[in-house]
Coordinates of all heavy atoms in Angstrom, one line a residue:
T1315 N -65.8 -78.6 -117.4 CA -65.2 -77.9 -118.3 C -63.9 -77.2 -117.8 O -62.8 -77.0 -118.4 CB -66.0 -76.7 -118.8 OG1 -67.3 -77.3 -119.5 CG2 -65.5 -75.8 -119.7
S1316 N -64.1 -76.7 -116.5 CA -62.9 -76.1 -115.8 C -61.8 -77.1 -115.5 O -60.6 -76.8 -115.8 CB -63.4 -75.5 -114.5 OG -62.3 -75.0 -113.7
A1317 N -62.2 -78.3 -115.2 CA -61.1 -79.5 -115.0 C -60.4 -79.7 -116.3 O -59.2 -79.9 -116.4 CB -61.8 -80.7 -114.6
R1318 N -61.1 -79.7 -117.5 CA -60.5 -79.9 -118.8 C -59.6 -78.7 -119.1 O -58.4 -79.1 -119.6 CB -61.6 -80.0 -119.9 CG -61.1 -80.0 -121.3 CD -60.2 -81.1 -121.7 NE -61.1 -82.4 -121.6 CZ -61.8 -82.9 -122.6 NH1 -61.9 -82.3 -123.8 NH2 -62.5 -84.0 -122.4
K1319 N -59.9 -77.6 -118.9 CA -59.0 -76.5 -119.2 C -57.7 -76.5 -118.4 O -56.6 -76.3 -118.8 CB -59.7 -75.1 -119.0 CG -60.7 -74.8 -120.0 CD -61.4 -73.5 -119.8 CE -62.5 -73.3 -120.8 NZ -63.2 -72.0 -120.7
I1320 N -57.8 -76.9 -117.1 CA -56.6 -77.0 -116.2 C -55.8 -78.1 -116.6 O -54.6 -78.0 -116.7 CB -57.1 -77.1 -114.7 CG1 -57.8 -75.8 -114.2 CG2 -56.0 -77.4 -113.8 CD1 -58.4 -75.9 -113.0
A1321 N -56.4 -79.2 -116.9 CA -55.7 -80.4 -117.4 C -54.9 -80.1 -118.7 O -53.8 -80.5 -118.8 CB -56.7 -81.6 -117.6
M1322 N -55.5 -79.5 -119.5 CA -54.9 -79.1 -120.8 C -53.7 -78.1 -120.5 O -52.7 -78.1 -121.2 CB -55.8 -78.5 -121.8 CG -56.6 -79.6 -122.6 SD -55.6 -80.6 -123.6 CE -56.7 -81.5 -124.5
S1323 N -53.9 -77.2 -119.6 CA -52.9 -76.3 -119.3 C -51.6 -77.0 -118.8 O -50.5 -76.7 -119.1 CB -53.3 -75.3 -118.2 OG -52.3 -74.3 -117.8
I1324 N -51.8 -78.0 -118.0 CA -50.7 -78.8 -117.5 C -50.1 -79.7 -118.6 O -48.9 -79.7 -118.8 CB -51.2 -79.9 -116.4 CG1 -51.7 -79.0 -115.2 CG2 -50.1 -80.7 -116.0 CD1 -52.5 -79.9 -114.2
A1325 N -51.0 -80.3 -119.4 CA -50.5 -81.1 -120.4 C -49.7 -80.5 -121.6 O -48.8 -81.0 -122.2 CB -51.7 -81.8 -121.2
N1326 N -50.1 -79.1 -121.8 CA -49.4 -78.4 -122.9 C -48.2 -77.6 -122.4 O -47.6 -76.9 -123.2 CB -50.4 -77.4 -123.5 CG -51.3 -78.1 -124.5 OD1 -50.9 -79.2 -125.2 ND2 -52.6 -77.8 -124.6
S1327 N -47.9 -77.7 -121.1 CA -46.8 -76.9 -120.6 C -45.4 -77.5 -121.0 O -45.1 -78.6 -120.5 CB -46.8 -76.8 -119.0 OG -45.7 -76.3 -118.5
P1328 N -44.5 -76.8 -121.7 CA -43.3 -77.4 -122.1 C -42.5 -77.6 -120.7 O -41.6 -78.6 -120.7 CB -42.6 -76.2 -122.9 CG -43.8 -75.5 -123.4 CD -44.8 -75.5 -122.4
L1329 N -42.6 -76.7 -119.7 CA -41.9 -77.0 -118.5 C -42.3 -78.3 -117.8 O -41.5 -79.1 -117.2 CB -42.0 -75.9 -117.6 CG -41.4 -74.6 -118.0 CD1 -41.7 -73.4 -117.0 CD2 -39.8 -74.8 -118.1
V1330 N -43.6 -78.6 -117.7 CA -44.1 -79.9 -117.2 C -43.5 -81.1 -118.0 O -43.0 -82.0 -117.4 CB -45.7 -79.8 -117.1 CG1 -46.1 -81.3 -116.7 CG2 -46.1 -78.8 -116.1
K1331 N -43.7 -81.0 -119.3 CA -43.3 -82.0 -120.2 C -41.9 -82.3 -120.2 O -41.4 -83.5 -120.2 CB -43.8 -81.7 -121.6 CG -45.4 -81.7 -121.7 CD -45.9 -81.0 -122.9 CE -45.7 -81.7 -124.1 NZ -46.6 -82.8 -124.3
T1332 N -41.0 -81.3 -120.1 CA -39.6 -81.5 -120.0 C -39.2 -82.1 -118.7 O -38.3 -82.9 -118.6 CB -38.7 -80.3 -120.4 OG1 -39.3 -79.2 -119.5 CG2 -38.9 -79.8 -121.8
A1333 N -39.8 -81.7 -117.7 CA -39.6 -82.2 -116.3 C -39.9 -83.8 -116.4 O -39.1 -84.6 -115.8 CB -40.4 -81.6 -115.2
I1334 N -40.9 -84.2 -117.0 CA -41.3 -85.6 -117.0 C -40.2 -86.3 -117.9 O -39.8 -87.5 -117.6 CB -42.7 -85.7 -117.6 CG1 -43.7 -85.2 -116.6 CG2 -43.0 -87.2 -117.9 CD1 -45.1 -85.1 -117.2
A1335 N -39.8 -85.7 -119.0 CA -38.7 -86.3 -119.8 C -37.5 -86.5 -119.0 O -36.7 -87.6 -119.2 CB -38.4 -85.4 -121.0
G1336 N -37.2 -85.6 -118.1 CA -36.0 -85.8 -117.2 C -36.3 -86.6 -115.9 O -35.5 -86.6 -115.0
E1337 N -37.5 -87.2 -115.9 CA -37.9 -88.1 -114.7 C -37.8 -87.3 -113.4 O -37.4 -87.8 -112.4 CB -37.1 -89.3 -114.7 CG -37.2 -90.2 -115.9 CD -36.5 -91.4 -116.0 OE1 -35.6 -91.6 -115.2 OE2 -36.9 -92.3 -116.8
D1338 N -38.2 -85.9 -113.5 CA -38.3 -85.1 -112.3 C -39.7 -84.8 -112.0 O -40.4 -84.1 -112.7 CB -37.5 -83.8 -112.6 CG -37.5 -82.8 -111.5 OD1 -37.9 -83.2 -110.4 OD2 -37.1 -81.7 -111.7
A1339 N -40.1 -85.2 -110.8 CA -41.5 -84.9 -110.3 C -41.6 -83.4 -109.8 O -41.8 -83.1 -108.6 CB -41.9 -85.8 -109.2
N1340 N -41.4 -82.5 -110.7 CA -41.3 -81.1 -110.4 C -42.8 -80.5 -110.2 O -43.3 -80.0 -111.2 CB -40.6 -80.3 -111.4 CG -40.3 -79.0 -111.0 OD1 -40.9 -78.3 -110.2 ND2 -39.1 -78.4 -111.6
W1341 N -43.4 -80.7 -109.0 CA -44.8 -80.3 -108.8 C -44.9 -78.8 -108.9 O -46.0 -78.3 -109.1 CB -45.3 -80.8 -107.4 CG -44.6 -80.2 -106.3 CD1 -44.9 -79.0 -105.6 CD2 -43.5 -80.8 -105.6 NE1 -44.1 -78.8 -104.6 CE2 -43.2 -79.8 -104.6 CE3 -42.7 -81.8 -105.7 CZ2 -42.1 -79.9 -103.7 CZ3 -41.6 -82.0 -104.8 CH2 -41.4 -81.1 -103.8
G1342 N -43.8 -78.1 -108.7 CA -43.9 -76.5 -108.9 C -44.4 -76.2 -110.2 O -45.1 -75.2 -110.4
R1343 N -44.0 -77.0 -111.3 CA -44.4 -76.6 -112.6 C -45.8 -77.0 -112.8 O -46.4 -76.3 -113.6 CB -43.4 -77.4 -113.6 CG -42.1 -76.9 -113.6 CD -41.2 -77.6 -114.5 NE -39.8 -77.0 -114.6 CZ -38.8 -77.5 -115.3 NH1 -39.1 -78.4 -116.2 NH2 -37.6 -76.9 -115.2
V1344 N -46.3 -78.0 -112.1 CA -47.8 -78.3 -112.2 C -48.6 -77.2 -111.5 O -49.6 -76.7 -112.1 CB -48.1 -79.7 -111.6 CG1 -49.6 -79.9 -111.5 CG2 -47.3 -80.8 -112.2
V1345 N -48.0 -76.7 -110.4 CA -48.8 -75.6 -109.7 C -48.8 -74.3 -110.7 O -49.8 -73.7 -110.8 CB -48.0 -75.1 -108.4 CG1 -48.6 -73.9 -107.8 CG2 -48.0 -76.3 -107.4
M1346 N -47.7 -74.1 -111.4 CA -47.6 -73.0 -112.3 C -48.8 -73.2 -113.3 O -49.4 -72.3 -113.7 CB -46.3 -72.9 -113.0 CG -46.1 -72.0 -114.1 SD -46.7 -72.6 -115.8 CE -45.6 -74.1 -116.0
A1347 N -48.9 -74.3 -113.9 CA -49.8 -74.6 -114.9 C -51.2 -74.5 -114.5 O -52.1 -74.0 -115.3 CB -49.6 -76.0 -115.5
V1348 N -51.5 -74.9 -113.2 CA -52.9 -74.8 -112.7 C -53.1 -73.4 -112.5 O -54.3 -72.7 -112.9 CB -52.9 -75.5 -111.3 CG1 -54.2 -75.1 -110.6 CG2 -52.7 -77.0 -111.4
G1349 N -52.2 -72.5 -112.0 CA -52.4 -71.1 -111.8 C -52.6 -70.3 -113.0 O -53.4 -69.4 -113.0
K1350 N -52.0 -70.7 -114.1 CA -52.1 -69.9 -115.4 C -53.3 -70.2 -116.1 O -53.6 -69.5 -117.1 CB -50.9 -70.0 -116.3 CG -50.8 -71.4 -117.0 CD -49.7 -71.4 -118.0 CE -49.7 -72.7 -118.8 NZ -48.7 -72.7 -120.0

């Protein structure tokens, strides 16, 4: 359940999703999404 919530936090992050659109492996945004 915890893994699902964290995965969804990453998946729903506009910052993560726009970085992927820009082909930028911006792991800092993934860290942000995990933390929040």
Side-chain angles (χ1 to χ4, degrees):
T1315 299
S1316 182
R1318 169 67 61 88
K1319 290 180 179 179
I1320 292 171
M1322 279 295 187
S1323 179
I1324 298 167
N1326 283 325
S1327 167
L1329 289 176
V1330 172
K1331 292 160 73 70
T1332 51
I1334 294 170
E1337 300 182 343
D1338 177 13
N1340 192 333
W1341 68 86
R1343 294 182 177 181
V1344 176
V1345 173
M1346 172 277 299
V1348 172
K1350 74 170 185 175

